[in-house]
Amino acid sequence: MAVLIALVIGTAAGVGVAGAATDDDPALATTEWNNVTITQEYRLQPDTPGHIEVTATVTFPEAATEFEVAVPWQGTVTDTDGFESTVGRRYEWTGERDEATITYDLDANETARGGGPERGSGRYLYADTGSWALVKPPSIGFVSGTFRSVDDDVQVGVDRKRTVAGEGAAGDYVAFLGPHETYRRTAHGQSFTLIVPEAASMRAEPEAILAAFTNASDELRVGDRDEQVFTVAAPTSVDWAVLGLQTWESDMWVRADEPIATADNTWLHEYVHSRQQLNTTNATEWLIEATATYHAAELALEDDLTDFDSFEEVLARGSRDRYDEVVLAEQATWTSLAEYDKGALVAGELDRQIRLATDRSKRFETVFGDLNDDIAIDHDRFIEAVETAANKTVAATADRYVTSDATPATWTRRQHEDAFGSAPAEFTHELASDAAPYRIEGPYRNVSTDDIDRLAVNETVVVPLTVSNVGGSTGTYDIGLTVEGTVVSRVSGTLAANESATIELAHTFEDPGTYSVAIESSKTTIRVTEPASASVESVAVDRETLEAPGNVTLSATLVNGRDEPARTTVTFTRNGTTVAERTVSLAPGASKPVEATVILSDAGRYELGVNGRTTTVVVDPARFTYAVDETADITVDGEYRTVTGAEIPPLVVGETVTIPVTVTNDGGVAGTYRATLSIDGAVATQSTGTLAAGESTTLTLSATFERPGSYRLTTGHQERRVQVSERATPTVRSVAVDRSTLPEPGNVTISAAIVNDSPIPAAGKINFTRNGTVFAVESVSLDVNETLSVAATVTLPRSGTFALAAGDQSTTVTVTTPTGSETQANRFGTADGTETTTATGPGFTALGGLLVVVVTALAVIQRY
């Protein structure tokens, strides 16, 4: 990420080059990184206080072919997935998938060795209690890696991340595991995060601590502002070896019971450490704690967190007798805390002397800022910086206080006002916004962004700056933006003391190339290229069919998947012929709709396209009508009848209705029809086919009704109501016999006239009875209004009168008694007309008593 302001300089985290990756190399402004990512997740182990579990998940880019890591010596590996042990603590990636893990237990407790900074009463620097932990887990080490060749602008490195399983929070090098509250504030290019554990009892309000950090961020003008400042308020249930501790660049912890309204300010002391980038030698190492102690007290006084007496009391510690023989440039002479106390007094006196010598236009912060880089600081370099800020006299004073046991005295309130009171005009400038501080304007985009590494030709970079007069009198500022050493934009103005103004510096890059861009001493590199090409992601029309020739709107969504602007010519086509063109510009990662009106003048099917992607529109599409001729014959067919007619008669269960339907394509193109016959809205049967424009066909659709009821029958746009019933019951209208009297026993034929008076077919069984006993059964079926005759023959075996019936109609037949030697009773039965039965007794034998009667019935059915 390109950064154009010295007070807000940052570095890209966690990158390196293949084969020699580290987690602190700065990313080059024009380099694209395709990194291996190592994510360490920390987890409490309540059953084993003093130990936490770490799972390191390593994600590999496609370019990675080999990769080896080393587990910290404090860790004991418990599980691996995708890694194999090689030698000692080393583990090699198997390459089977693009993500692998190592899990290990880690000793979390760390104790102090000797006297620590800002000493406490205990011995712990980091600790795990089981229910919470404040730890500095070491990183899993990168040993070696091999990667396939990639583009010149793409490098492979190692990107490190830290997370906490469950409740907790992690900075770059310090993590808290357990329940907590998080407080945040952003100012002056820095984001402050304060973690207050549930187990901590705070002496100062979290918001007051963040306010002190915010003011110090603005007032301590020594460069090297880290983007993130991560602070933990340490619970006091642990015997900490120190009152506070800052590690790496901007991670730190402070005991929760430390006050903020004090000159002896641990919170600000550790914050000043976070601003240091002092590459000291033995002769200048005193600067580390001296500047932290002095500036913490000075910032507390400036922000009304303390008074002058308390400020003077902190500095007066440096004149104690135990420091009489201390020489700051010679560590062998140091007594306990000499660099803190005597060092702070010397730094303060030099601050006062520099302000007096420069009419308050310079201060010790000027020296601090000059030395605050990666260049090694020996004593001569320190004295040179003092002379540059002030003069030879002050430099000689500095040399005497540092190289001898000479000790300055503290100063009075009046002397303080003389040196630290009103100062001449002094200007600082910083990016006007913490988030998205730049603007990029031009034909492709108009956005606020924090990334100006890569631009396209004809884009303009606008840098809004806040210019502040931090001096004590009115003055004029003059700030310029240079490209390749040439001033291309300049703004001047006048500001009173403590007044600020927002200005803008801008430049348009008209040609491709790589440019060195600077505002004052802050420099970056911007790469300018021709725009990339966007791609068509999707194509659509506002309507896919037109009933008649007309216009449609053809639209496309363009996507720029690159991290640079794009410009593309969009071609709209109709059946392969270009009908319109548009030139479209897009910002990186943006999408944009583009459209054109296309004329479709004739019926037919059209293929419309945008840069090769197509969709289809049909003009005058196939339109089908489904007509039922009111005079056409409808067929009803079933077990009992087959009839045709223009209307559907009442039906019985099991009958099928067949309806002729004429299908016509009234549209301008061929299409597929679907003719349906529906019963109560549900399709019962259908027929499909294809018809050309203007073509017709006649087909039939049938439906069978399986249950009685009233149904709505729909074909095309015609609807009929159909009544379906169970079959009707036939009626016996009359009966007749061929003889009403018989001179002797014999056979009689009885005929029945059967009718169907119902509007639906009838079917059933006709029972023939003699004296109430069924002797024959006939099955009959009749259509509507049909009549038929059925007959059955029955034997009348004896004399008497017999009741013969068919259904509910009956008649009688009489058999007379014959003359002769044997009575009818002896021949066919008893005299009373009852049927004879087998009997035994005097005068009868078994054979003689057996009377066998044979009845033969002939059924005759005659239809007429």
Side-chain angles (χ1 to χ4, degrees):
M1 180 184 300
V3 178
L4 270 181
I5 207 68
L7 293 177
V8 206
I9 288 178
T11 57
V15 294
V17 294
T22 68
D23 60 354
D24 58 355
D25 294 334
L28 299 176
T30 58
T31 299
E32 178 183 342
W33 293 92
N34 189 5
N35 288 351
V36 175
T37 301
I38 301 178
T39 302
Q40 294 188 157
E41 182 183 61
Y42 311 128
R43 180 178 288 101
L44 284 171
Q45 299 190 91
D47 295 337
T48 56
H51 295 266
I52 64 172
E53 183 180 74
V54 182
T55 298
T57 301
V58 186
T59 305
F60 300 95
E62 291 184 3
T65 57
E66 295 178 358
F67 201 78
E68 188 174 16
V69 297
V71 174
W73 65 265
Q74 304 96 323
T76 301
V77 174
T78 59
D79 188 31
T80 63
D81 185 5
F83 278 106
E84 292 180 346
S85 177
T86 56
V87 178
R89 297 179 293 106
R90 294 186 176 187
Y91 287 81
E92 186 176 47
W93 175 43
T94 63
E96 295 174 353
R97 50 184 175 273
D98 59 6
E99 186 173 278
T101 62
I102 299 177
T103 300
Y104 54 94
D105 286 335
L106 187 70
D107 290 339
N109 294 340
E110 184 177 338
T111 56
R113 300 177 180 87
E118 298 199 301
R119 286 184 300 187
S121 60
R123 64 190 185 93
Y124 286 103
L125 297 177
Y126 298 96
D128 171 26
T129 67
S131 60
W132 60 264
L134 176 56
V135 295
K136 186 184 71 173
S139 297
I140 191 167
F142 167 72
V143 176
S144 64
T146 303
F147 305 87
R148 288 186 294 270
S149 176
V150 293
D151 295 340
D152 291 340
D153 292 337
V154 179
Q155 297 292 332
V156 179
V158 177
D159 185 15
R160 296 184 184 275
K161 299 179 181 179
R162 291 168 172 81
T163 63
V164 175
E167 294 184 281
D172 288 337
Y173 277 85
V174 171
F176 178 79
L177 284 62
H180 67 283
E181 293 290 337
T182 301
Y183 299 85
R184 291 187 174 89
R185 185 171 297 189
T186 299
H188 313 296
Q190 291 191 290
S191 294
F192 300 96
T193 300
L194 175 61
I195 303 300
V196 178
E198 188 177 280
S201 296
M202 297 293 291
R203 184 171 179 179
E205 291 294 331
E207 292 299 334
I209 296 170
L210 291 177
F213 286 166
T214 298
N215 292 334
S217 174
D218 180 40
E219 293 160 5
L220 188 63
R221 300 177 182 272
V222 295
D224 189 46
R225 278 193 182 103
D226 296 301
E227 291 183 3
Q228 303 291 331
V229 178
F230 181 81
T231 308
V232 179
T236 54
S237 57
V238 168
D239 291 331
W240 299 112
V242 292
L243 302 180
L245 183 62
Q246 185 268 336
T247 185
W248 198 239
E249 292 184 348
S250 55
D251 284 8
M252 57 192 182
W253 65 260
V254 177
R255 282 177 56 112
D257 59 357
E258 282 296 292
I260 191 66
T262 178
D264 197 8
N265 201 305
T266 306
W267 298 98
L268 291 176
H269 183 105
E270 302 307 332
Y271 174 73
V272 175
H273 275 317
S274 77
R275 297 288 298 277
Q276 291 173 339
Q277 196 175 351
L278 299 172
N279 186 9
T280 60
T281 60
N282 287 337
T284 55
E285 189 173 347
W286 65 274
L287 284 168
I288 295 175
E289 297 301 342
T291 54
T293 304
Y294 169 68
H295 285 298
E298 189 260 336
L299 289 168
L301 177 62
E302 190 170 341
D303 290 339
D304 295 326
L305 296 175
T306 189
D307 56 23
F308 178 79
D309 290 341
S310 298
F311 169 75
E312 192 271 340
E313 183 180 338
V314 169
L315 297 186
R317 294 192 305 228
S319 60
R320 292 173 180 171
D321 293 345
R322 67 182 186 180
Y323 303 133
D324 284 349
E325 296 180 0
V326 167
V327 177
L328 292 176
E330 299 175 10
Q331 293 189 34
T333 68
W334 290 3
T335 56
S336 178
L337 302 182
E339 71 272 36
Y340 294 85
D341 295 341
K342 186 170 183 177
L345 178 57
V346 169
E349 175 61 16
L350 293 178
D351 189 16
R352 190 176 74 87
Q353 294 288 348
I354 293 170
R355 291 172 185 258
L356 290 172
T358 62
D359 196 19
R360 306 187 192 97
S361 64
K362 298 294 192 310
R363 58 195 70 178
F364 192 74
E365 289 175 45
T366 308
V367 177
F368 187 170
D370 186 18
L371 302 175
N372 210 25
D373 55 33
D374 291 328
I375 300 174
I377 308 167
D378 58 17
H379 178 70
D380 290 341
R381 172 84 173 88
F382 169 66
I383 297 303
E384 178 186 347
V386 174
E387 182 178 341
T388 300
N391 53 40
K392 291 183 180 293
T393 301
V394 178
T397 301
D399 182 65
R400 180 166 61 89
Y401 283 138
V402 174
T403 61
S404 73
D405 59 7
T407 302
T410 58
W411 54 90
T412 66
R413 187 186 304 272
R414 178 60 182 270
Q415 288 174 315
H416 188 83
E417 291 175 354
D418 289 342
F420 291 80
S422 298
E426 180 182 353
F427 296 98
T428 63
H429 56 272
E430 61 184 356
L431 295 171
S433 172
D434 293 325
Y438 311 110
R439 290 204 314 275
I440 299 177
E441 300 173 352
Y444 319 108
R445 52 182 168 168
N446 291 283
V447 297
S448 294
T449 179
D450 60 356
D451 183 2
I452 55 172
D453 293 348
R454 183 173 295 183
L455 304 176
V457 293
N458 296 320
E459 285 196 307
T460 300
V461 171
V462 181
V463 184
L465 299 177
T466 297
V467 182
S468 300
N469 183 354
V470 297
S473 57
T474 300
T476 300
Y477 62 86
D478 184 14
I479 301 175
L481 171 69
T482 63
V483 176
E484 295 296 309
T486 301
V487 177
V488 295
S489 178
R490 182 184 296 279
V491 177
S492 300
T494 300
L495 292 175
N498 298 317
E499 188 178 9
S500 297
T502 299
I503 65 172
E504 290 185 349
L505 299 173
H507 179 65
T508 301
F509 294 85
E510 297 179 348
D511 299 305
T514 300
Y515 298 91
S516 176
V517 181
I519 296 176
E520 303 295 330
S521 60
S522 179
K523 297 180 180 180
T524 190
T525 300
I526 296 178
R527 182 181 177 189
V528 182
T529 62
E530 294 291 346
S533 295
S535 59
V536 176
E537 183 179 61
S538 61
V539 173
V541 288
D542 59 343
R543 46 183 178 162
E544 295 180 346
T545 59
L546 282 72
E547 297 301 318
N551 301 336
V552 296
T553 299
L554 175 60
S555 60
T557 299
L558 300 183
V559 175
N560 178 14
R562 304 286 295 274
D563 60 354
E564 56 190 315
R567 177 192 290 142
T568 296
T569 298
V570 182
T571 302
F572 296 84
T573 60
R574 179 184 58 217
N575 292 341
T577 300
T578 298
V579 295
E581 286 187 343
R582 304 279 190 274
T583 298
V584 181
S585 298
L586 291 91
S591 62
K592 181 182 292 186
V594 60
E595 62 182 35
T597 299
V598 181
I599 300 172
L600 307 178
S601 55
D602 299 302
R605 187 178 303 273
Y606 293 85
E607 185 178 79
L608 306 183
V610 182
N611 284 16
R613 283 183 173 264
T614 62
T615 187
T616 300
V617 176
V618 177
V619 178
D620 193 16
R623 299 187 304 278
F624 297 99
T625 57
Y626 304 90
V628 178
D629 189 345
E630 293 183 356
T631 63
D633 286 339
I634 298 173
T635 301
V636 174
D637 182 52
E639 180 181 354
Y640 312 111
R641 61 175 173 173
T642 299
V643 297
T644 58
E647 297 295 334
I648 301 175
L651 305 177
V652 297
V653 172
E655 288 190 314
T656 299
V657 174
T658 301
I659 302 175
V661 179
T662 299
V663 183
T664 303
N665 182 0
D666 297 321
V669 297
T672 299
Y673 64 82
R674 178 174 176 264
T676 61
L677 187 151
S678 300
I679 299 176
D680 289 339
V683 175
T685 185
Q686 66 179 10
S687 178
T688 60
T690 300
L691 290 178
E695 189 178 5
S696 296
T697 188
T698 299
L699 50 88
T700 58
L701 299 172
S702 300
T704 301
F705 296 87
E706 303 294 346
R707 290 185 297 276
S710 179
Y711 296 95
R712 179 166 49 87
L713 188 66
T714 305
T715 49
H717 298 295
Q718 190 177 78
E719 183 174 292
R720 294 177 172 86
R721 182 61 65 174
V722 177
Q723 192 69 36
V724 181
S725 306
E726 295 288 355
R727 63 192 180 186
T729 301
T731 301
V732 179
R733 178 174 293 173
S734 62
V735 295
V737 293
D738 58 347
R739 293 180 294 175
S740 60
T741 60
L742 276 75
E744 59 183 15
N747 296 333
V748 175
T749 298
I750 179 172
S751 300
I754 312 301
V755 298
N756 176 18
D757 296 327
S758 173
I760 59 176
K765 296 181 182 297
I766 304 300
N767 292 331
F768 288 88
T769 62
R770 183 188 66 195
N771 291 344
T773 300
V774 176
F775 66 85
V777 178
E778 294 295 329
S779 295
V780 297
S781 59
L782 299 88
D783 201 350
V784 177
N785 297 322
E786 185 179 4
T787 302
L788 60 81
S789 176
V790 295
T793 299
V794 63
T795 299
L796 304 180
R798 53 180 167 70
S799 60
T801 299
F802 294 85
L804 302 181
D808 59 356
Q809 300 295 317
S810 63
T811 187
T812 59
V813 176
T814 301
V815 179
T816 59
T817 303
T819 60
S821 60
E822 189 175 303
T823 66
Q824 292 288 57
N826 290 335
R827 295 177 56 194
F828 295 103
T830 61
D832 61 4
T834 61
E835 298 290 340
T836 59
T837 60
T838 303
T840 60
F844 290 87
T845 66
L847 181 62
L850 177 65
L851 177 64
V852 178
V853 179
V854 179
V855 178
T856 302
L858 292 176
V860 179
I861 301 175
Q862 180 178 354
R863 296 181 182 270
Y864 60 92

